[in-house]
Amino acid sequence: MAKARGFVEFNTEACKGCELCVKACPFDVLDMNHLVNGKGYHFSYMKNYDQCTGCASCAMVCPDVVITVYKVK
Amino acid sequence: MSDIETYKKELLAQGAKKIFTKTKNLTDTPFSYCGGCGHGVVHRLIMEVVEELNITHDTIGIAPVGCTAIAYEFMNIDMQQAAHGRAPALATGIKRTMPDKYVFTYQGDGDLAAIGTGETIHACNRGENIAIFFVNNGIYGMTGGQMAPTTLPGMVSSTSPYGRNMDTHGYPLSLTELVAKLPGTYYVTRQSVHTPANVRKCKKAIQTAFENQKLNKGLSFVEIVSNCNSGWKMTPVESNKWMEENMFRSYPLGDIKLPQ
Amino acid sequence: MGEDIQLMKGNEAIAEAAIRFGVDAYFGYPITPQSEIIEYLAYEDPYNKRTGMVVIQAESEIAAINMVYGAAACGKKAMTSSSSPGISLKQEAISYMVGAELPGLIVNVVRGGPGLGTIQPSQADYFQSVKGGGHGDYNMIVLAPSTVQEQYDHVGLGFELAFKYRNPVMILSDGAIGQMMEKVTLTPQLPRENKILDWATTGKTPDRERNYITSLYLDPEVQENHNIKLQAKFQRMKDTEVRYEEIMTDDAEYIIVAYGISARISQTVITMARKNGIKLGLLRPITLFPFPSKRLFELSDSLKGILCVEMSAGQMIEDVELAVRCKIPVYHYGRMGGGVTSSTEVFEKFVSLFLK
């Protein structure tokens, strides 16, 4: 079976840089950006974007609901 | 166009669908909670359940005193703000005069297990047909990390700077096990929101707590063991690890009382 | 059809009035000398037998008033009753109700204090009632019945004013009026209204924004504006809601100012004085907040002196002194800790203070 594919989008300005999504991703897709947002937080981004399966694990644990998940069904 | 944007376009062309986004039952106001705090997840789950059960127009929530005193700024439903510890009394007043509404309280461990112990136990004992969501992080977050009734033995806080000493401070209090013994409670469970799997389980528990209100069989009590990385003075990732290793030992996850 | 007249205790009149005026909920906790209110309601069982009115015996006075808060925030007519020590416990939530602009009725059947005090009647909770007994700058309308009939009527009036201003209203009774029996003309049963009020938390429908009830505004500018709005409301109460009764003040050289049971006792004093050719009248405040200050100031032009009769060490006298602005002598007479003044005592005190 082909691997599921997806991607996520961040409401970067609402991210508080807690890194819980990075930890929750089972495929090591996410990392913290070295840049900071308007509030001074490093924000999460898709480093290995082509590894994303759209499993939404990151969105499940994000305390600030900044992640929107897309998936090819 | 960057590589990632091209990739997204490609997937959208292949029929990628939005499978998760912020529920409309949350307002656009960013949460005032510290980065990594579990409150945001619990807020989201409650609001998603209310949306999915299509009961937004029939739901009234109660915000406590503590970090979530302004929960009504974030939850896009009708809400009341309660005096410290009194949320279950407000809920009683609402539910008894509007029995067809879905009523929930959202309380922390200081609110529910210290100053509001009486209101909590008696609402449970009367079998009020409401849901109580109890977020336990073992500390007073809002006031700056003081010892709570649920603070663990030896745990350092600003009012137990040498660690909680049971000889002088008493023992951690688990109201969840206590209320499970009361005939007025119908469903009592302890959950967490620190991993995707736990989040999904917790959402199920919250949904059950709302659905139970249709049955009129008593109070549903959902404890969510959570973190307070500011109060515990750890990073969010460290605090979740510390919670697994320490909090879950005193407050084990799982259902405590299931409908017979 | 003839009038519906019954012989009732003051406390029972409050309970029957609650049912007849279509109150949605009563939440209480037993305390002497007002437990007949909840006992009467429990016996009548209006939830099942009359109007569907909810009656709950709460686990504490604190829980009871917070149940009032919850129901009131849904736009319901909700009330509680207690006596002095229990009213002290309710002060936190009363302050919250004012801050959150919630209507509601609180009945205080006052007993002697301080502390656990005594179960005998007293009027020593005046300051607590009219000056805002909890924290923050606030007032509420305080009604002072002096008959069992007024106990009954003030329940209807209290809710009318509470909803008019979206502010709690207190009936400040005392152990004597609560316990004594008099005839009461009962009004026809009013239905419970079940109105959906636009500010109330009844569930957010798609056609409106969410409603939330709170007294918390963290931004000091917003909190100050909220306070200014509340103060304007209290001023409107002062401008519009002053109620009092005058007896033989037209030709009076002296008056007694007294409320509640003390006003009843003082009526006899007026009769005694008049028999002795003394031109004594009575002003009985019916609202203690707002206080009939303006009327007292007007009267003071033609008066030689005022005697305040209260069953306390002298609390209302401060408002009387402020009202007449030191133009004439104002004296206090009262008993404390459950002691009830006799009309003879008051008359002798009056004579010794003003006529000797």
Side-chain angles (χ1 to χ4, degrees), chain B residues 166-203:
Chain B
M166 268 87 80
D167 289 343
T168 51
H169 298 135
Y171 298 86
L173 176 61
S174 172
L175 228 51
T176 308
E177 271 81 6
L178 271 173
V179 301
K181 291 197 169 28
L182 303 174
T185 52
Y186 183 62
Y187 171 57
V188 180
T189 186
R190 184 181 285 121
Q191 301 288 330
S192 84
V193 292
H194 70 302
T195 69
N198 286 101
V199 170
R200 291 190 169 100
K201 263 194 224 164
C202 184
K203 185 169 175 179

Side-chain angles (χ1 to χ4, degrees), chain B residues 28-252:
Chain B
D28 292 335
T29 311
F31 292 135
S32 52
Y33 312 122
C34 308
C37 171
H39 277 313
V41 179
V42 183
H43 281 30
R44 168 172 76 77
L45 295 182
I46 295 171
M47 289 299 96
E48 283 177 359
V49 167
V50 167
E51 183 182 34
E52 286 158 19
L53 294 177
N54 196 23
I55 56 172
T56 304
H57 56 286
D58 277 331
T59 301
I60 300 159
I62 301 167
V65 165
C67 293
T68 55
I70 53 166
Y72 51 81
E73 297 276 1
F74 315 121
M75 297 186 185
N76 195 15
I77 60 166
D78 278 6
M79 287 194 82
Q80 304 182 10
Q81 201 284 321
H84 202 12
R86 316 300 174 216
L90 269 65
T92 301
I94 301 167
K95 190 74 180 191
R96 292 293 187 105
T97 53
M98 306 193 84
D100 297 335
K101 301 291 173 185
Y102 294 83
V103 181
F104 72 89
T105 73
Y106 189 109
Q107 302 175 261
D109 40 278
D111 193 86
L112 177 135
I115 194 167
T117 313
E119 284 77 4
T120 304
I121 288 183
H122 283 278
C124 289
N125 198 45
R126 282 191 303 266
E128 295 297 339
N129 197 26
I130 59 172
I132 290 180
F133 301 121
F134 163 38
V135 180
N136 173 12
N137 56 14
I139 205 156
Y140 285 83
M142 183 77 202
T143 45
Q146 293 83 7
M147 182 174 60
T150 47
T151 296
L152 299 180
M155 190 171 161
V156 171
S157 75
S158 66
T159 52
S160 57
Y162 310 109
R164 181 175 190 148
N165 175 349
M166 268 87 80
D167 289 343
T168 51
H169 298 135
Y171 298 86
L173 176 61
S174 172
L175 228 51
T176 308
E177 271 81 6
L178 271 173
V179 301
K181 291 197 169 28
L182 303 174
T185 52
Y186 183 62
Y187 171 57
V188 180
T189 186
R190 184 181 285 121
Q191 301 288 330
S192 84
V193 292
H194 70 302
T195 69
N198 286 101
V199 170
R200 291 190 169 100
K201 263 194 224 164
C202 184
K203 185 169 175 179
K204 269 253 165 350
I206 290 170
Q207 183 173 334
T208 305
F210 277 104
E211 285 171 345
N212 285 346
Q213 295 195 36
K214 275 185 245 166
L215 309 175
N216 210 12
K217 289 201 167 160
L219 192 141
S220 296
F221 192 102
V222 181
E223 174 182 341
I224 297 113
V225 182
S226 191
N227 61 351
C228 178
N229 50 77
S230 296
W232 297 356
K233 309 203 187 314
M234 297 173 195
T235 67
V237 173
E238 283 166 5
S239 73
N240 278 347
K241 190 157 175 284
W242 191 89
M243 177 173 74
E244 278 184 334
E245 291 167 357
N246 297 278
M247 292 286 280
F248 293 173
R249 230 183 295 154
S250 289
Y251 307 111

Side-chain angles (χ1 to χ4, degrees), chain A residues 5-18:
Chain A
R5 295 206 300 164
F7 65 89
V8 296
E9 283 181 340
F10 297 92
N11 177 3
T12 298
E13 279 309 306
C15 177
K16 292 176 185 157
C18 71

Side-chain angles (χ1 to χ4, degrees), chain B residues 93 96-99, chain C residues 12-28 37-38 40-42 44-56 68 71 76-81 105 155 159 189-194:
Chain B
R96 292 293 187 105
T97 53
M98 306 193 84
Chain C
E12 292 168 348
I14 283 174
E16 179 62 26
I19 301 170
R20 296 245 182 169
F21 283 107
V23 172
D24 295 303
Y26 170 92
F27 307 102
I37 298 175
I38 191 169
Y40 185 99
L41 288 170
E44 283 297 311
D45 192 12
Y47 186 79
N48 293 306
K49 295 180 181 163
R50 291 180 65 176
T51 59
M53 173 190 178
V54 170
V55 177
I56 297 182
V68 171
K76 300 292 178 185
K77 286 162 91 169
M79 66 181 286
T80 185
S81 68
L105 184 67
V155 173
F159 274 108
Q189 177 65 54
L190 294 175
R192 287 175 53 234
E193 289 174 21
N194 286 322

Side-chain angles (χ1 to χ4, degrees), chain C residues 20-154:
Chain C
R20 296 245 182 169
F21 283 107
V23 172
D24 295 303
Y26 170 92
F27 307 102
Y29 184 82
I31 180 171
T32 309
Q34 63 81 56
S35 296
E36 293 86 355
I37 298 175
I38 191 169
E39 286 170 351
Y40 185 99
L41 288 170
Y43 183 80
E44 283 297 311
D45 192 12
Y47 186 79
N48 293 306
K49 295 180 181 163
R50 291 180 65 176
T51 59
M53 173 190 178
V54 170
V55 177
I56 297 182
Q57 179 173 335
E59 65 270 29
S60 68
E61 284 93 348
I62 297 172
I65 184 71
N66 281 284
M67 290 173 188
V68 171
Y69 182 118
C74 298
K76 300 292 178 185
K77 286 162 91 169
M79 66 181 286
T80 185
S81 68
S82 190
S83 180
S84 309
I87 295 291
S88 292
L89 285 171
K90 293 182 193 290
Q91 294 299 335
E92 177 201 41
I94 294 172
S95 168
Y96 274 67
M97 285 179 75
V98 176
E101 297 195 81
L102 292 179
L105 184 67
I106 301 124
V107 180
N108 184 0
V109 182
V110 181
R111 58 190 254 183
L116 200 49
T118 166
I119 57 172
Q120 301 304 321
S122 172
Q123 295 182 312
D125 295 356
Y126 178 90
F127 282 149
Q128 187 196 49
S129 312
V130 307
K131 309 292 181 192
H135 58 284
D137 276 325
Y138 75 87
N139 292 104
M140 59 181 160
I141 294 177
V142 179
L143 302 170
S146 74
T147 62
V148 175
Q149 182 71 52
E150 272 188 335
Q151 297 262 96
Y152 180 94
D153 295 340
H154 283 183

